Amino acid sequence: MASLGQIIFYTMIILIVIFAAFIILILALAFSGVGGRVQSTNTSPIGNLSDDVLLSCYLNTNHQRAVNDISVTWKKANLAGLVYKYENGAPDLTDQNSQFKGRTLLFLDKLMTGNASLLLKGVRNSDRGEYTCSISCSEGAGKVNIYLRTAGASPPATERCENGKISQMHA
Ligand SMILES: *[C@@H]1O[C@H](CO)[C@@H](O)[C@H](O)[C@H]1NC(C)=O
């Protein structure tokens, strides 16, 4: 037969285990947020020069949120300023780097479902590099990196210019 001492001892052990499990659960909830849920269908897209390219970035939750409950920032590594920013229900392009002026488009109708993909128009060689898409909303924040490569370099000058005339560009 268990003594009173043993009963107290085992009760304490059980309480400590339950308490520890509870703490772990709280910590897991606090750190999960939306962190791992910002995703991209293609983290290494290839943009053809002078074409448009879609940089995919979305929040993998399918609930509709309010217009003010999502902010998106697109940045490019080693570049001053921003590529694109959407905050408080409107685009904010005051810090946009001049390289991207008039060349970026977010699908605002899709944003409320968490789709923050960026359309970059008229791809240039200088667009090559790493982009970071950050999404934050009331559930938390997360980011994904996308590495854009460019393809279809324009032919060298000797091919384009023969006998002083511009020859036809290759398709
Ligand atoms: C996000 O929107 C773009 C533009 O309409 C679309 O091409 C893309 O498939 C969408 N991505 C997701 C994950 O829904």
Side-chain angles (χ1 to χ4, degrees):
M1 212 182 94
S3 69
L4 185 62
Q6 278 175 317
I7 292 173
I8 292 174
F9 178 76
Y10 287 119
T11 306
M12 295 272 284
I13 296 286
I14 290 167
L15 284 178
I16 287 170
V17 168
I18 291 173
F19 190 67
F22 187 68
I23 297 279
I24 290 169
L25 184 72
I26 297 278
L27 285 177
L29 284 177
F31 284 105
S32 62
V34 296
R37 289 190 271 162
V38 174
Q39 296 175 355
S40 177
T41 52
N42 186 1
T43 53
S44 52
I46 298 177
N48 288 318
L49 292 174
S50 79
D51 280 359
D52 301 347
V53 67
L54 185 79
L55 305 183
S56 163
C57 174
Y58 63 96
L59 198 54
N60 193 13
T61 62
N62 37 17
H63 89 254
Q64 189 92 11
R65 59 201 85 240
V67 70
N68 286 330
D69 184 29
I70 190 159
S71 72
V72 178
T73 309
W74 277 95
K75 281 185 191 161
K76 186 172 188 283
N78 308 317
L79 187 84
L82 302 173
V83 176
Y84 194 97
K85 183 160 114 178
Y86 181 95
E87 203 173 46
N88 300 322
D92 176 2
L93 303 181
T94 44
D95 293 329
Q96 188 180 47
N97 185 287
S98 59
Q99 181 186 335
F100 295 102
K101 279 235 149 54
R103 300 175 54 227
T104 52
L105 187 78
L106 228 70
F107 301 90
L108 299 182
D109 52 331
K110 305 254 174 76
L111 195 55
M112 301 316 130
T113 60
N115 186 342
S117 299
L118 181 90
L119 186 75
L120 181 59
K121 296 189 252 183
V123 170
R124 306 169 182 171
N125 267 322
S126 54
D127 294 335
R128 233 183 311 190
E130 190 174 39
Y131 292 76
T132 303
C133 166
S134 315
I135 303 180
S136 72
C137 60
S138 51
E139 296 157 61
K143 53 177 74 174
V144 65
N145 288 340
I146 290 153
Y147 197 88
L148 175 67
R149 288 172 293 163
T150 57
S154 44
T158 49
E159 260 183 68
R160 286 204 318 262
C161 196
E162 288 161 10
N163 308 324
K165 282 195 290 180
I166 308 286
S167 66
Q168 272 202 307
M169 297 279 276
H170 306 282

